[in-house]
Amino acid sequence: DLRFFTNRGTTASAESMRISGGGDVTVTVGNVIIGTAGKGINFAGITTLSGGSSQILDYYEEGTWTPTLLQGSNAPAAYSQRTGYYTRVGNLVHLNGRIQLNGLGSMSGTVFMTALPFTATNATNNFSAFHVGYYANFALPTANTTMMGIVNPNSVNVDLRIGNSTADSSSLTAAHISADGDFIFSMTYKA
């Protein structure tokens, strides 16, 4: 084994990293830091993907974001709750959140959600589906109507939609939302 020791202000050195005779690398203390943008972990030696353009894992981030509803430039009067969480691995962003309103304010037309943590890739037909797992206090037009949405290419907005089993989806409007509307959502999109 090849072992690396560091002295962290103590009287005795301690092992920080080891490369075993079998090739495994073990970091005992601290993190592995990629110090240059665009560099990462290269998986090219594992397999060759048909048509793949990159086998380097060069991005990871997790955090919070603040989902925002808008109708044109009009925002809700207030939010009772507005939370969002995301994890980005490579170019895929996984996010989830909840929006609960406390008044519609001057909203009156088509409503969309904005402020995604990353802009969707600007590529032809790069659409991603937005999933609503729960909603309450909405004024949807029929009993079989559901909420959904899509993210268009090169956008930080979710085009919120409604649909049912007999018709194409249409835009969600402020008329479909009550002053205390509440929904929980998730999605994955390519950034």
Side-chain angles (χ1 to χ4, degrees), residues 64-191:
T64 60
W65 64 288
T66 305
T68 301
L69 287 184
L70 287 176
Q71 175 274 311
S73 61
N74 298 319
Y79 296 94
S80 295
Q81 183 158 193
R82 185 165 55 145
T83 56
Y85 302 93
Y86 72 86
T87 301
R88 178 173 172 176
V89 180
N91 64 3
L92 289 181
V93 182
H94 311 278
L95 59 83
N96 65 292
R98 180 178 186 182
I99 292 178
Q100 185 176 23
L101 302 177
N102 187 11
L104 293 178
S106 58
M107 297 174 69
S108 62
T110 300
V111 176
F112 62 96
M113 189 174 75
T114 190
L116 293 178
F118 301 94
T119 302
T121 299
N122 189 13
T124 304
N125 292 318
N126 179 41
F127 299 97
S128 298
F130 177 85
H131 307 281
V132 176
Y134 165 85
Y135 60 87
N137 303 323
F138 276 71
L140 300 178
T142 65
N144 294 326
T145 303
T146 58
M147 282 183 60
M148 62 193 80
I150 58 170
V151 175
N152 294 305
N154 197 33
S155 178
V156 292
N157 298 332
V158 176
D159 178 11
L160 295 173
R161 315 284 294 170
I162 58 172
N164 60 45
S165 59
T166 61
D168 294 336
S169 66
S170 59
S171 294
L172 180 76
T173 69
H176 299 127
I177 307 172
S178 299
D180 57 351
D182 182 10
F183 66 102
I184 297 172
F185 57 86
S186 66
M187 73 174 303
T188 299
Y189 70 101
K190 188 175 179 182

